[in-house]
């Protein structure tokens, strides 16, 4: 297959949840990007987008994560994260946090770096200009467009474009797809009952599709819906978009 | 429920105050178990969402209309002082009497005084959020005046000894079978009884309400209304409604008292062009609402000959003073944000402890009332920040961002007291603020994973219980991503 990236230097922002809990997702990103000819680097200074702090109201605690982000990724033209939510938080909240910190140097650095931060699906479709990444996934799947990927990062239909180009895939529409799954970060533990009520409806819709796999571009939402699906022994497996795209016909899985 | 205190003129609302309510999560838990309410709300919100999406989709320049609506409101709020003075001048010139009220108590005192001066013991009411906000009905009741709600849904709430649960359809939590029961049980206690053989057909129920209200309309000497818009240039007040009950109240009685929040002012009649396109499509999902009434002071020989306008602040200038919060004053109370909200859909309006529920309530109440009470401290967290409310808001109120700013205010307050959360956050700041600390945490997680030898954790005691009560929790892997990267590709980049 063609190699569209031709050595393009890309920094991977793994995100804290993926780094610690779901390493197979950033590994899949590395494998897809390298397959497409990118040179992937992983700056060690990176930690987290900070939205756990920001969205709980602890702006001061979020500022060090903004500094860490700038330190890790300064100098890169392409910063790619397998998360619409973390991408959205960097683009939408880091400028506000830098201003909250009243630090002019940080404001300037942040305003520059946020324009270079991409969700994985955006980077593939918009920057590399590919929708067929050579994936093969002979399964029935459904896709939940996570709220922050759609409404903050605004990835639009890019994930669908990518999924439709995967060989062997049977992509079935998810009823009420645009409704929130109820995760909501700390909402999931501050308002656990409402969170579960929303998640239960989402999980029910997922089961209605008869899918073997539930795909999203955000592992945090997937942890919530997947946790419900696992508790009820539904047999539906949660999987990140990147991992689906990483599968190839000759691949191990 | 069926017994009413003999001294009361109108059905008693539920006991207790909004501010005395427990936190949102506690209220929500109780509401989630109300099967009937959940079904009613699911049906109602699903229908109205689809209607709204259809009629909004027809308008090619919808986004420009939203931008215009937001811009007009913002500009008006920037010069609110001069527009309010202009409004007072125009109203006075047109023969109306303007009253100013700093808070709910002052507003109620003014209205009660005006009503008592007319020597009447009852008023008819047009559906109005401002009068719900100041709890005018109860103030009138205490003064021996019966305030009769004439909007169908508002009547259902009043006769049901209930509280409104939605800003447009206050009885949205009720279905028609419940409405029938309420009518049969209560109507005869307060006027014309429900007809025998009342069915739960919507047309039959509406007919019963019409008959019940007719004598009240014909008898009333005084009406109380709110206003959707108040035009500064002309002194014109505007009421947008569906049923025609408003038109009856605004035209039949001799005296009309309108209670209007100061943020309802618009500079000119021409500005209505934008809002009359935005409001009906966003609220009822109609291209145009059935009744739009406009009146400018007193018209000799036609309609009420004594017109009063009570302009209320009740916290609004405080909202205006906050650059992160003042967007809330753009709100035209269309209720689109409630109808789209997945949290509201499941818990209903009563969980929010205010006449303003849903996303707008979650940002408005803590601003209007301050973040002192348990309920107001918890409201900014009553959202997943999914952002659906912003997408549908006709005046582009950035509700998710505002919720985050209010959370910041609540967190600052918590830091002053004895709370666990700020301590946890300080610990987490240490862990996530520096990659070496983060790596340490990851190595601890990997050790735990090796010891537990499990993919998922089932139900666990506190502090894991809020998560694991209903959801399994995946275990971290034995090797984090960055450990894998270091092992396979070395320490460098
Ligand atoms: S916040 Fe916006 S969507 Fe909600 S009621 Fe007000 S105007 Fe309507």
């Amino acid at each position: 297959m063609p190699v569209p990236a031709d050595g393009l230097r890309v920094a991977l922002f793994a995100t804290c949840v993926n780094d610690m809990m779901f390493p197979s997702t950033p590994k899949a990103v590395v494998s897809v990007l390298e397959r497409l000819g990118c040179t992937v680097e992983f700056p060690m200074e990176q930690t987290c987008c900070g939205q756990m702090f920001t969205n709980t109201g602890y702006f001061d605690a979020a500022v060090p994560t903004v500094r860490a982000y700038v330190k890790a990724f300064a100098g890169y033209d392409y910063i790619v994260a397998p998360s619409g939510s973390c991408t959205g938080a960097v683009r939408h909240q880091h400028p506000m946090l830098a201003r909250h910190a009243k630090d002019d140097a940080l404001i300037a650095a942040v305003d520059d770096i946020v324009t270079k931060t991409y969700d994985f699906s955006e980077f593939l479709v918009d920057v590399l200009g590919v929708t067929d990444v050579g994936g093969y996934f002979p399964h029935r799947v459904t896709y939940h467009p996570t709220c922050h990927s759609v409404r903050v990062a605004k990835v639009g239909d890019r994930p669908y474009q990518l999924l439709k180009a995967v060989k062997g895939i049977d992509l079935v529409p998810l009823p009420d797809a645009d409704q929130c799954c109820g995760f909501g970060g700390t909402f999931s533990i501050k308002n656990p009952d409402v969170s579960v009520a929303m998640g239960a409806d989402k999980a029910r819709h997922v089961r209605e599709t008869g899918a073997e796999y539930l795909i999203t571009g955000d592992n945090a939402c997937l942890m919530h819906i997947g946790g419900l699906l696992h508790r009820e022994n539904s047999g539906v497996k949660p999987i990140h978009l990147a991992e689906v795209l990483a599968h190839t016909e000759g691949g191990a899985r | 429920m069926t017994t009413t205190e003999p001294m009361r003129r109108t059905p008693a609302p539920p006991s207790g105050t909004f501010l005395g309510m427990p936190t949102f999560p506690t209220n929500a838990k109780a509401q989630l178990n109300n099967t009937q309410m959940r079904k009613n709300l699911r049906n109602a919100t699903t229908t109205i969402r689809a209607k709204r999406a259809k009629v909004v989709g027809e308008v090619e320049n919808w986004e420009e209309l939203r931008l215009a609506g937001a811009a007009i409101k913002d500009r008006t709020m920037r010069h609110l002082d001069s527009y309010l003075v202009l409004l007072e001048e125009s109203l006075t010139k047109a023969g109306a009497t303007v009253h100013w009220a700093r808070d709910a108590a002052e507003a109620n005192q003014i209205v009660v005084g005006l009503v008592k001066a007319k020597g009447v013991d009852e008023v008819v009411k047009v559906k109005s959020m401002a009068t719900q906000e100041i709890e005018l009905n109860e103030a009138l009741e205490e003064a021996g005046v019966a305030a009769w709600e004439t909007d169908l849904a508002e009547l259902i709430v009043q006769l049901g000894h209930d509280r409104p649960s939605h800003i447009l359809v206050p009885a949205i939590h009720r279905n028609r079978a419940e409405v029938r029961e309420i009518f049969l049980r209560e109507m005869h206690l307060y006027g014309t009884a429900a007809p025998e053989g009342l069915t739960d057909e919507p047309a039959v129920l509406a007919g019963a309400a019409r008959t019940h209200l007719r004598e009240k309309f014909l008898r009333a000497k005084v009406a109380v209304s709110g206003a959707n818009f108040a035009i500064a240039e002309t002194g014109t007040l505007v009421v947008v409604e569906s049923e025609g009950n408003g038109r009856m109240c605004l035209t039949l009685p001799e005296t009309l008292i309108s209670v209007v929040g100061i943020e309802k002012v618009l500079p000119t009649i021409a500005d209505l062009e934008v809002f009359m396109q935005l409001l009906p499509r966003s609220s009822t999902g109609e291209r145009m609402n059935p009744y739009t009434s406009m009146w400018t002071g007193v018209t000799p020989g036609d309609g009420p000959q004594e017109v009063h306008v009570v302009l209320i602040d009740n916290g609004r200038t405080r909202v205006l003073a906050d650059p992160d919060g003042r967007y809330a004053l753009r709100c035209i109370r269309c209720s689109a944000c409630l109808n789209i909200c997945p949290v509201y859909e499941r818990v209903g309006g009563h969980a929010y402890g205010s006449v303003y529920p849903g996303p707008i309530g979650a940002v408005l109440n803590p601003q209007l009332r301050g973040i002192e009470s348990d309920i107001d401290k918890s409201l900014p967290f009553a959202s997943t920040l999914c952002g659906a409310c912003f997408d549908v808001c006709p005046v582009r109120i950035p509700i998710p961002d505002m919720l985050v700013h209010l959370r910041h205010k609540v967190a600052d307050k918590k830091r002053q007291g004895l709370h666990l959360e700020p301590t946890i956050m300080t610990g987490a700041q240490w862990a996530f603020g520096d990659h070496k600390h983060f790596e340490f945490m990851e190595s601890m997680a990997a050790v735990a994973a090796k010891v537990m030898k499990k993919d998922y954790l089932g139900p666990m005691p506190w502090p894991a219980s809020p998560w694991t009560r209903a959801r399994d929790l995946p275990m971290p892997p034995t090797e984090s991503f960055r450990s894998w990267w270091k092992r396979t590709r070395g320490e460098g980049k």
Side-chain angles (χ1 to χ4, degrees):
Chain A
M1 79 175 269
V3 180
D6 196 22
L8 193 71
R9 183 166 165 256
V10 178
L12 168 64
F13 173 36
T15 81
C16 67
V17 169
N18 289 326
D19 190 348
M20 185 155 125
M21 297 290 290
F22 305 101
S24 49
T25 296
K27 283 183 203 169
V29 173
V30 174
S31 120
V32 172
L33 291 180
E34 289 183 343
R35 194 201 296 161
L36 295 171
C38 297
T39 305
V40 183
E41 298 183 5
F42 180 78
M44 284 289 163
E45 293 84 3
Q46 64 180 282
T47 58
C48 149
C49 71
Q51 68 169 307
M52 172 180 71
F53 300 108
T54 319
N55 290 345
T56 316
Y58 292 80
F59 291 3
D60 292 339
V63 171
T65 66
V66 179
R67 292 189 197 285
Y69 190 85
V70 167
K71 204 171 152 207
F73 295 109
Y76 285 100
D77 287 333
Y78 299 103
I79 305 152
V80 177
S83 162
S85 188
C86 305
T87 304
V90 168
R91 287 191 203 148
H92 190 64
Q93 293 184 327
H94 281 200
M96 181 277 283
L97 290 165
R99 281 160 184 82
H100 172 78
K102 298 195 174 67
D103 179 339
D104 288 338
L106 188 64
I107 293 171
V110 162
D111 286 353
D112 176 54
I113 212 162
V114 297
T115 63
K116 294 168 177 164
T117 303
Y118 297 85
D119 173 67
F120 180 55
S121 67
E122 286 176 318
F123 182 76
L124 293 178
V125 176
D126 297 353
V127 180
L128 298 187
V130 290
T131 47
D132 183 352
V133 299
Y136 173 70
F137 201 71
H139 299 283
R140 175 167 226 179
V141 303
T142 192
Y143 177 80
H144 166 57
T146 62
C147 301
H148 286 185
S149 74
V150 175
R151 301 199 184 94
V152 187
K154 301 198 191 311
V155 302
D157 69 345
R158 294 174 186 86
Y160 291 101
Q161 293 182 37
L162 291 160
L163 283 171
K164 280 184 190 142
V166 170
K167 258 172 97 187
I169 205 162
D170 177 15
L171 177 62
V172 284
L174 178 65
D176 277 347
D178 56 0
Q179 220 187 45
C180 176
C181 73
F183 171 63
T186 46
F187 178 85
S188 62
I189 42 179
K190 278 179 176 278
N191 277 284
D193 301 297
V194 188
S195 175
V196 166
M198 292 165 68
D201 286 342
K202 184 62 71 183
R204 176 168 51 81
H205 288 314
V206 170
R207 280 190 278 102
E208 278 165 19
T209 66
E212 303 152 66
Y213 288 90
L214 166 65
I215 306 171
T216 76
D218 273 296
N219 272 332
C221 305
L222 214 48
M223 185 165 78
H224 164 70
I225 315 168
L228 286 160
L229 290 167
H230 192 266
R231 175 66 56 90
E232 58 196 23
N233 291 313
S234 67
V236 184
K237 281 203 194 88
I239 188 168
H240 192 283
L241 173 69
E243 294 176 51
V244 174
L245 300 182
H247 284 205
T248 54
E249 225 155 341
R253 271 214 282 197
Chain B
M1 284 285 272
T2 48
T3 55
T4 42
E5 295 163 44
M7 300 308 291
R8 284 191 64 98
R9 302 283 318 278
T10 58
S15 59
T17 61
F18 280 135
L19 288 178
M21 284 179 75
T23 62
F24 180 83
T26 313
N27 303 332
K29 189 172 171 60
Q31 295 294 333
L32 285 170
N33 285 319
N34 187 340
T35 310
Q36 184 67 62
M37 180 278 290
R38 291 195 55 183
K39 174 163 182 266
N40 297 349
L41 266 166
R42 188 165 56 239
N43 290 347
T45 56
T46 309
T47 310
I48 188 85
R49 273 178 211 157
K51 277 178 77 180
R52 180 206 158 271
K54 182 164 173 280
V55 298
V56 163
E58 298 170 348
V59 184
E60 233 173 74
N61 60 344
W62 183 253
E63 206 43 47
E64 276 113 78
L65 278 172
R66 286 178 83 206
L67 287 163
I72 294 170
K73 281 284 185 179
D74 285 356
R75 189 192 62 213
T76 314
M77 291 307 123
R78 268 200 306 277
H79 307 289
L80 187 58
D81 49 351
S82 24
Y83 284 122
L84 285 173
V85 171
L86 182 60
L87 176 67
E88 181 180 38
E89 279 169 19
S90 308
L91 278 165
T92 312
K93 218 188 295 166
T97 310
V98 176
H99 310 259
W100 299 91
R102 267 175 294 232
D103 54 23
E106 270 188 21
N108 287 332
Q109 206 182 357
I110 292 165
V111 178
V112 168
L114 290 170
V115 173
K116 293 296 253 186
K118 299 315 293 179
V120 299
D121 65 354
E122 65 174 356
V123 301
V124 285
K125 283 190 69 203
V126 187
K127 182 177 165 7
S128 139
M129 288 313 299
T131 59
Q132 289 282 12
E133 174 189 327
I134 63 174
E135 301 183 21
L136 175 65
N137 290 6
E138 282 310 286
L140 286 168
E141 175 72 46
E142 273 165 36
V145 177
W148 304 115
E149 295 291 351
T150 66
D151 169 85
L152 178 55
E154 221 45 278
L155 176 71
I156 295 164
V157 168
Q158 185 174 39
L159 289 175
H161 301 263
D162 205 351
R163 285 207 170 106
S165 69
H166 187 277
I167 59 183
L168 187 76
V169 199
I172 197 169
H173 57 293
R174 299 285 193 198
N175 68 5
R176 55 198 203 176
E178 294 173 290
V179 173
R180 175 178 171 273
E181 272 173 41
I182 291 169
F183 281 7
L184 285 172
R185 195 179 64 213
E186 303 283 339
M187 271 184 170
H188 70 279
L189 299 171
Y190 303 99
T192 310
E196 261 178 63
L198 182 75
T199 68
D200 64 5
E201 285 299 307
V204 174
L205 292 171
R210 191 173 291 126
T211 314
H212 179 81
L213 291 169
R214 186 65 41 151
E215 57 171 353
K216 295 190 161 71
F217 283 131
L218 295 176
R219 216 167 50 207
K221 298 267 184 288
V222 178
V224 175
S225 84
N228 293 92
F229 308 102
I231 312 298
E233 176 189 49
T234 57
T236 307
L237 298 194
V238 185
V239 161
V240 177
E241 52 141 350
S242 296
E243 295 167 12
N245 65 300
R247 180 70 56 84
M248 300 277 270
C249 295
L250 298 168
T251 51
L252 287 178
E254 292 157 11
T255 301
L256 173 59
I257 306 167
S258 303
V259 181
V260 182
I262 52 172
E263 86 284 16
K264 295 287 159 211
V265 64
L266 285 179
T268 69
I269 284 274
D271 296 315
L272 277 181
E273 175 211 5
V274 171
F275 293 97
M276 288 311 295
Q277 293 183 74
L278 289 173
L279 181 54
R281 287 179 200 260
S282 300
S283 58
T284 47
E286 293 167 301
R287 297 192 182 102
M288 182 47 75
N289 53 294
Y291 296 87
T292 302
S293 301
M294 303 194 197
W295 69 103
T296 308
V298 176
T299 306
D302 185 13
Q305 295 299 296
E306 191 178 327
V307 170
H308 295 272
V309 178
V310 184
L311 294 168
I312 62 164
D313 183 326
N314 206 30
R316 286 160 177 76
T317 44
R318 191 167 55 211
V319 180
L320 184 60
D322 181 353
D324 296 318
R326 62 174 63 133
Y327 305 108
L329 298 179
R330 290 181 191 163
C331 177
I332 55 174
R333 311 277 189 263
C334 73
S335 73
C337 59
L338 279 66
N339 298 332
I340 202 77
C341 178
V343 174
Y344 175 86
E345 179 193 328
R346 285 167 183 84
V347 304
H350 291 154
Y352 293 80
S354 161
V355 298
Y356 301 116
I360 184 61
V363 294
L364 192 57
N365 299 311
Q367 293 199 77
L368 288 176
R369 308 192 294 208
I371 42 170
E372 307 305 321
S373 65
D374 285 349
I375 181 72
D376 284 327
K377 275 203 271 280
S378 66
L379 283 179
F381 298 90
S383 164
T384 60
L385 305 178
C386 79
C389 48
F390 171 74
D391 282 3
V392 297
C393 177
V395 284
R396 297 177 55 93
I397 300 179
I399 295 176
D401 292 345
M402 294 169 70
L403 288 166
V404 169
H405 280 281
L406 284 165
R407 290 175 183 193
H408 181 222
K409 292 205 166 116
V410 175
D412 271 356
K413 208 172 189 90
K414 275 194 186 159
R415 266 196 295 219
Q416 292 156 21
L418 257 176
H419 290 277
L420 187 59
E421 191 180 277
T423 316
I424 295 173
M425 286 295 170
T426 309
Q429 180 187 345
W430 179 87
F432 289 89
D434 184 305
H435 71 101
K436 293 202 191 72
H437 301 163
F438 183 72
E439 279 158 33
F440 171 75
M441 196 172 62
E442 279 189 339
S443 63
M444 299 309 289
V447 169
K450 275 177 201 141
V451 175
M452 310 270 296
K453 290 198 180 73
K454 274 184 175 176
D455 293 340
Y456 274 94
L457 294 177
M460 301 268 293
W462 194 87
S465 54
W467 181 278
T468 59
R469 213 177 293 134
R471 294 162 283 206
D472 287 343
L473 183 67
M475 278 297 287
T478 50
E479 185 180 51
S480 72
F481 175 75
R482 79 176 65 208
S483 310
W484 171 82
W485 183 277
K486 279 188 199 165
R487 180 168 61 77
T488 56
R489 307 192 174 208
E491 281 279 347
K493 309 215 153 158

